Amino acid sequence: MNTDPRESLMEASRQFYQLGWMAGTAGNLSARVEDGSFWITASGKQKGKLVADDFVRVSLTGELLETPNPENKPSAETSIHQAIYSCFADARACYHVHSVEAKLVTNFVEGEKLPLPPIEMLKGLGVWEENPQVFMPVFHNHLQVPKIAQEISDRFHRETPQVPALLIRNHGVTVWANSAAEAENHVELAEYIFRYIVAARQVGIKF
Ligand SMILES: CSC[C@@H](O)[C@@H](O)C(=O)COP(=O)(O)O
Ligand SMILES: [Zn+2]
């Protein structure tokens, strides 16, 4: 495991910013280190130009352990990263981005899950079935972020999600993986699937 994952996080953030998925200060990225704590983007930093000082290291219980800049505050959505790492012991990185398509697709369903198209790209999210019936969990975008985190934790303890990704309504996607490289891959795959869903709806394809 990488001892200091900030270089990978900065690189991913630049890439996501360029793709329009982390416009302005939107989104947050984290990755764990050996002791179980994690580096996460500090709140309110411009995601197109992160530097190593724009992070903080927090414990799994949310305690601030290290900050290169005393003015840094942990991401406002740190509790969601804590929930993911607590639910999935193997998760080493957790990435959250705000694309237009991730917000749009949450308006296509009223319930707690979004049906995904049975496309080849699902294999990249760990689904190896023919004509799979797969759903991505959708959560309400409570103003109080810890409430979203609690609902994520409660639901995932009851039911393991089929894919390592979740949507927050009209907000964005959060993915997790056992490495920073794989988390980057998961974001790209999830976003591809959202673009497919929007395009399929435009041409009247149902799945
Ligand atoms: C553009 S504001 C978006 C924030 O409210 C939040 O959803 C977000 O993703 C970034 O918050 P941050 O505290 O910088 O990690
Ligand atoms: Zn967000």
Side-chain angles (χ1 to χ4, degrees):
M1 198 194 309
N2 193 351
T3 47
D4 186 343
R6 284 178 288 173
E7 196 59 53
S8 303
L9 298 176
M10 286 186 279
E11 199 185 303
S13 187
R14 270 194 301 275
Q15 162 85 347
F16 297 152
Y17 173 82
Q18 278 162 10
L19 288 163
W21 303 344
M22 292 188 102
T25 61
N28 30 76
L29 307 180
S30 75
R32 292 178 94 176
V33 294
E34 284 84 348
D35 67 1
S37 66
F38 57 93
W39 282 101
I40 186 165
T41 42
S43 187
K45 302 292 180 184
Q46 282 217 291
K47 302 308 189 308
K49 41 180 99 156
L50 289 180
V51 295
D53 282 0
D54 293 336
F55 292 81
V56 294
R57 190 166 64 83
V58 298
S59 72
L60 205 52
T61 50
E63 188 191 354
L64 185 60
L65 300 176
E66 195 173 341
T67 176
N69 176 340
E71 286 175 14
N72 284 355
K73 292 194 170 43
S75 161
E77 290 164 351
T78 300
S79 55
I80 294 178
H81 295 248
Q82 289 171 239
I84 294 302
Y85 292 132
S86 302
C87 286
F88 306 107
D90 289 345
R92 290 284 171 267
C94 177
Y95 287 5
H96 163 66
V97 302
H98 282 213
S99 73
V100 170
E101 289 84 358
K103 291 177 174 65
L104 284 176
V105 297
T106 63
N107 290 281
F108 299 166
V109 285
E110 283 177 9
E112 300 190 321
K113 49 192 189 175
L114 175 77
L116 302 184
I119 57 177
E120 179 69 12
M121 296 297 250
L122 286 177
K123 286 183 184 159
L125 294 177
V127 178
W128 288 76
E129 287 166 40
E130 213 166 289
N131 290 319
Q133 281 201 307
V134 181
F135 295 86
M136 189 177 290
V138 179
F139 292 87
H140 183 78
N141 190 29
H142 296 290
L143 191 57
Q144 300 299 326
V145 178
K147 194 165 179 205
I148 308 175
Q150 188 61 53
E151 289 187 359
I152 291 170
S153 181
D154 290 348
R155 201 189 308 176
F156 287 174
H157 277 111
R158 281 198 311 271
E159 187 182 359
T160 305
Q162 291 170 285
V163 288
L166 65 89
L167 280 159
I168 305 173
R169 211 171 271 289
N170 285 319
H171 181 159
V173 69
T174 298
V175 309
W176 55 96
N178 57 13
S179 69
E182 198 55 14
E184 189 168 342
N185 185 37
H186 286 176
V187 172
E188 292 187 17
L189 292 166
E191 291 294 345
Y192 178 97
I193 291 167
F194 302 147
R195 288 198 300 280
Y196 180 97
I197 293 172
V198 172
R201 199 175 171 94
Q202 282 165 350
V203 296
I205 291 177
K206 291 194 171 35
F207 48 86

